[in-house]
Amino acid sequence: MSETLTLGKALNLGLRRAMEDDSKVILMGEDIGKLGGVFRITDGLQKDFGDERVIDTPLAESGIVGTAVGLALRGYRPVIEIQFDGFVYPAYDQIVCQVAKMHYRSRGKVKLPIVIRIPFGGGIGAVEHHSESPEAYFAHTAGLKVVACSNPSDAYWMIQQAIASDDPIVFFEPKRRYWEKGEVDTSGSLESAFPLHSSKVLTSGTDATVLAYGPMVRVALDAATAAAEDGRKLEVIDLRTLSPLDMGAVFDSVRKTGRAIVVHEAPHNLGMGAELAARITEECFYSLEAPVLRVAGYDIPYPAARAEEEYLPDLDRVLDAVDRSFGW
Amino acid sequence: MNESFELLRRMLLIRRFEERCAELYSSQEIRGFLHLYVGEEAVAVGVMAEFGPEDAIVSTYREHGHALARGVSPDAIMAEMFGKATGCSGGRGGSMHLFDASTRFYGGNAIVAGGLPLAVGLALADRMQGRPVVTACFFGDGAVAEGEFHESMNLAALWRLPVLFCCENNLYAMGTRIERTHAVTELAVRAAGYGMPAEVVDGMDVLAVREVTRKALKRIRSEAGPQFLELQTYRFRAHSMYDPDRYRDKAEIAEWKRRDPIDKLAATLRLPTEDISKLDTEITEVIDAAVAFARTASPENVDSLTRHVYSEVRR
């Protein structure tokens, strides 16, 4: 059954289905109950599943994540909503010191199937702490898995796959894409869905590879359309999984195109682009016609709303990078 | 009398076990950090005596005493101290991360106050599943200054969860005395801010600790909702094996040593000296066996250190 859904609604339906499938799935977060969350991702779930399974919490991110650890130790599959990207930092200690390490520290005896949902990125006219892209902090931490969805169909399936995973997963949601619509085929099973930790080739091309995830996938696709008018065929890959990275399709693509451009909103310095550039260089060195280029946010704190358009990578900056790659 | 003798046995086991650990540390058979509980045994033993096998325990980095009092196998603890694969955490946790789900001992924790929200989660899970059990959450006076303490106290009180918060107040957050770290040094007063009953108890008197725990558990089980205990105690040794202990007055240490919880109980029980020596001999045998167990076990193969970063059954 296929229906047209916004990304936000697709997440809502995915959460609902996960809760129907497994009574041990519970949601926790700030204002997620009656209000349905700031972005209404949990809209209606408390009404239908009760306030013991959709738990409104105080403003205590560290306490919430630590509570989730205790719940997971007792067999639950907690799904935490962090209200905005910048609000995750108080919980960083629990995520890095407990969530990421307890499975390893117990040599596999303890499993922590926790999902930490984080709306991330800018583009909604907010300010710092409400527009950040902290994914690299988490991808750097062994023991955590990190994914980012970019469209309604992936949102619907990936959230369910993340909840079904026995590993802790930091789940990034592109907040400015919450209202964008797409076709979602809700039939079929989780097992037959496209695997969670796999990158996906979205447009086939021979001239340059563009790697993106989350909110920047739409920008990369628009760039591919625009480049096609100039006769350049871009291969856009939605990475989807940031830890572990799925490099197979990326290497195949770069060996074919000889050029790679990574696009993300997070700052350049030590962002995901750095790791991707290193890996591509290590594996595809003799295929490269130009260095791997990065189109990223600037190395500044996320700016005020009026400067947001300058900060965020857009169509022009991606096309400019493509030009620079060809000019090498 | 028999029950009290058992309390003595447990305290002496912890004391002798840790004294042996200190020796093994000096001979480098135990490596890493080592934080000893010597002097504070009455707290772990007194509290744990009232906890049943279904109840849960959350501990700190100074947790050898908690684990032993809980009944985690001395062999498995010693092997963990040695970093051997037969240790209770498979050799990966070490002194600060003893863990044993079978006795519901949910871990030592190297992050001060890091365990408090875990206790909230365990208690929430128990309540949602209708299990009439209580979670004991140990932490020190230093943890009371951390944000996680306040978040956890609020969550537990708000949701009326069955948690016994056991604050081991040994007057020093590592090298800094309580007056230099807390605006309000009467720590039990903090609990009032969360609408939580609190009591102060002499943590050097195991019978008093046991009695106050019994009453607290009765209240938690019947009325629901957490309770706070401030257990006033003292560590006889330095913070860790590296600590030169320059911040404490020798007279103060000597004064507290006169209140040794083991001596105190032995005096109360009026035990003949030969009974205590017999007990000591038995305990020495237990510890000898644990050391032999730890020595003969193998450490985890270095090649397998990349295992269990993630679960191995892919879903």
Side-chain angles (χ1 to χ4, degrees):
Chain A
M1 190 182 71
S2 184
E3 48 189 316
T4 306
L5 298 171
T6 62
L7 193 151
K9 184 63 183 173
L11 284 168
N12 178 272
L13 282 184
L15 289 168
R16 176 178 290 277
R17 189 158 160 189
M19 294 184 79
E20 286 166 354
D21 288 350
D22 186 347
S23 63
K24 290 296 173 66
V25 175
I26 59 170
L27 313 187
M28 299 175 74
E30 296 158 3
D31 311 303
I32 67 167
K34 269 195 176 165
L35 179 62
V38 164
F39 295 104
R40 311 290 182 268
I41 304 304
T42 53
D43 193 32
L45 297 178
Q46 190 182 63
K47 184 166 155 283
D48 294 342
F49 293 96
D51 58 10
E52 284 235 316
R53 290 191 66 195
V54 180
I55 302 172
D56 280 312
T57 66
L59 310 184
E61 291 80 8
S62 183
I64 297 164
V65 173
T67 299
V69 174
L71 287 166
L73 286 170
R74 287 292 220 181
Y76 285 94
R77 306 184 89 83
V79 182
I80 307 296
E81 176 174 302
I82 299 291
Q83 197 161 72
F84 282 92
D85 33 66
F87 300 0
V88 74
Y89 306 127
Y92 197 62
D93 160 51
Q94 281 290 332
I95 296 173
V96 172
C97 296
Q98 314 298 342
V99 175
K101 293 188 172 70
M102 211 170 261
H103 181 68
Y104 187 81
R105 191 191 286 155
S106 67
R107 224 156 53 121
K109 278 190 235 166
V110 170
K111 291 196 190 316
L112 294 181
I114 298 170
V115 175
I116 300 168
R117 295 179 38 239
I118 306 179
F120 83 126
I124 62 162
V127 292
E128 58 166 306
H129 305 141
H130 296 71
S131 300
E132 297 178 0
S133 299
E135 61 272 17
Y137 298 137
F138 299 99
H140 188 62
T141 302
L144 299 176
K145 289 182 173 176
V146 182
V147 301
C149 61
S150 70
N151 62 76
S153 178
D154 278 357
Y156 176 77
W157 289 107
M158 286 171 73
I159 189 64
Q160 294 180 66
Q161 290 168 318
I163 292 168
S165 167
D166 279 342
D167 292 313
I169 295 187
V170 184
F171 191 95
F172 282 100
E173 301 169 2
K175 71 166 83 79
R176 71 160 133 159
R177 309 291 181 206
Y178 275 146
W179 301 273
E180 292 188 5
K181 288 180 179 169
E183 285 299 299
V184 182
D185 182 356
T186 55
S187 61
S189 68
L190 216 49
E191 288 70 32
S192 60
F194 191 79
L196 179 61
H197 295 292
S198 301
S199 54
K200 194 191 266 181
V201 178
L202 299 185
T203 65
S204 183
T206 49
D207 294 330
T209 303
V210 180
L211 305 173
Y213 54 88
M216 284 293 112
V217 171
R218 169 49 49 204
V219 173
L221 288 171
D222 290 346
T225 304
E229 290 168 12
D230 293 338
R232 280 185 184 147
K233 293 188 176 122
L234 305 186
E235 182 145 297
V236 175
I237 298 179
D238 183 352
L239 291 169
R240 300 168 86 253
T241 176
L242 305 181
S243 180
L245 281 165
D246 174 33
M247 297 300 289
V250 175
F251 293 152
D252 289 347
S253 178
V254 175
R255 287 190 187 110
K256 179 174 66 177
T257 63
R259 300 175 200 281
I261 292 133
V262 188
V263 188
H264 55 62
E265 285 188 33
H268 271 95
N269 188 36
L270 296 174
M272 292 303 302
E275 179 65 23
L276 288 157
R279 292 206 198 183
I280 291 167
T281 308
E282 283 165 4
E283 290 294 322
C284 309
F285 188 70
Y286 291 107
S287 306
L288 286 171
E289 302 287 342
V292 180
L293 297 178
R294 290 172 287 171
V295 179
Y298 300 114
D299 290 319
I300 58 171
Y302 197 88
R306 62 180 166 73
E308 190 170 51
E309 282 179 28
E310 298 299 320
Y311 176 89
L312 288 170
D314 60 8
L315 179 66
D316 289 340
R317 279 165 67 187
V318 176
L319 291 175
D320 176 62
V322 172
D323 284 345
R324 280 190 287 134
S325 181
F326 273 91
W328 202 265
Chain B
M1 174 67 185
N2 279 344
E3 276 187 19
S4 299
F5 186 75
E6 178 58 20
L7 299 181
L8 184 72
R9 194 189 68 77
R10 290 183 194 181
M11 288 198 291
L12 204 57
L13 171 66
I14 295 169
R15 178 73 56 92
R16 299 287 180 256
F17 188 94
E18 290 207 304
E19 286 168 348
R20 186 71 66 88
C21 286
E23 289 169 22
L24 293 163
Y25 192 84
S26 299
S27 63
Q28 297 197 346
E29 285 187 87
I30 294 175
R31 298 173 68 179
F33 286 172
L34 188 68
H35 307 89
L36 300 177
Y37 195 59
V38 174
E40 304 187 23
E41 295 90 342
V43 174
V45 170
V47 169
M48 225 75 85
E50 291 296 321
F51 273 74
E54 291 303 313
D55 295 316
I57 314 295
V58 173
S59 185
T60 69
Y61 60 86
R62 195 182 302 285
E63 89 284 31
H64 314 144
H66 301 143
L68 286 165
R70 180 57 179 175
V72 181
S73 143
D75 289 4
I77 296 174
M78 193 60 88
E80 189 60 40
M81 309 288 279
F82 275 63
K84 300 295 181 71
T86 47
C88 57
S89 303
R92 288 184 175 183
S95 163
M96 293 195 277
H97 288 115
L98 304 176
F99 191 99
D100 180 36
S102 68
T103 55
R104 305 219 184 288
F105 186 77
Y106 291 105
N109 203 314
I111 303 295
V112 172
L116 276 92
L118 270 63
V120 171
L122 290 165
L124 179 58
D126 288 331
R127 201 200 51 200
M128 291 198 298
Q129 291 172 11
R131 283 190 289 247
V133 303
V134 179
T135 297
C137 180
F138 291 91
F139 52 93
D141 46 292
V144 175
E146 292 277 3
E148 283 177 322
F149 167 83
H150 298 279
E151 293 188 17
S152 302
M153 291 282 282
N154 182 49
L155 288 169
L158 176 71
W159 294 335
R160 308 204 56 74
L161 297 177
V163 181
L164 182 62
F165 288 101
C166 302
C167 177
E168 301 182 316
N169 181 2
N170 67 15
L171 300 175
Y172 291 84
M174 207 167 110
T176 307
R177 199 176 157 85
I178 191 165
E179 289 83 5
R180 298 178 70 86
T181 56
H182 286 285
V184 174
T185 55
E186 294 83 11
L187 301 181
V189 170
R190 307 289 180 88
Y194 298 100
M196 198 184 297
E199 288 199 53
V200 182
V201 59
D202 177 3
M204 308 305 273
D205 180 348
V206 70
L207 297 174
V209 172
R210 181 176 191 166
E211 181 60 15
V212 79
T213 305
R214 192 180 61 75
K215 285 183 185 157
L217 284 181
K218 193 175 171 197
R219 208 206 114 262
I220 292 171
R221 290 190 208 278
S222 63
E223 295 173 28
Q227 184 155 338
F228 182 96
L229 298 181
E230 179 189 337
L231 303 126
Q232 295 182 336
T233 185
Y234 201 80
R235 58 174 159 74
F236 292 170
R237 302 181 62 122
H239 164 74
S240 72
M241 300 301 281
Y242 284 113
D243 172 18
D245 206 353
R246 288 189 299 218
Y247 45 85
R248 300 196 300 186
D249 186 17
K250 288 197 169 48
E252 179 185 280
I253 299 171
E255 176 59 31
W256 278 89
K257 279 186 175 175
R258 277 195 283 279
R259 296 172 56 190
D260 188 315
I262 294 173
D263 295 347
K264 184 180 175 73
L265 181 61
T268 307
L269 296 178
R270 297 207 187 101
L271 285 176
T273 320
E274 54 268 33
D275 282 17
I276 295 190
S277 347
K278 187 159 165 278
L279 185 59
D280 233 336
T281 309
E282 286 168 19
I283 284 170
T284 303
E285 284 168 14
V286 170
I287 295 168
D288 286 346
V291 173
F293 177 81
R295 278 192 179 133
T296 50
S298 304
E300 181 178 7
N301 193 321
V302 173
D303 293 343
S304 73
L305 286 179
T306 52
R307 289 188 58 192
H308 304 301
V309 178
Y310 301 103
S311 61
E312 297 189 346
V313 181
R314 298 294 293 269
R315 295 185 57 156

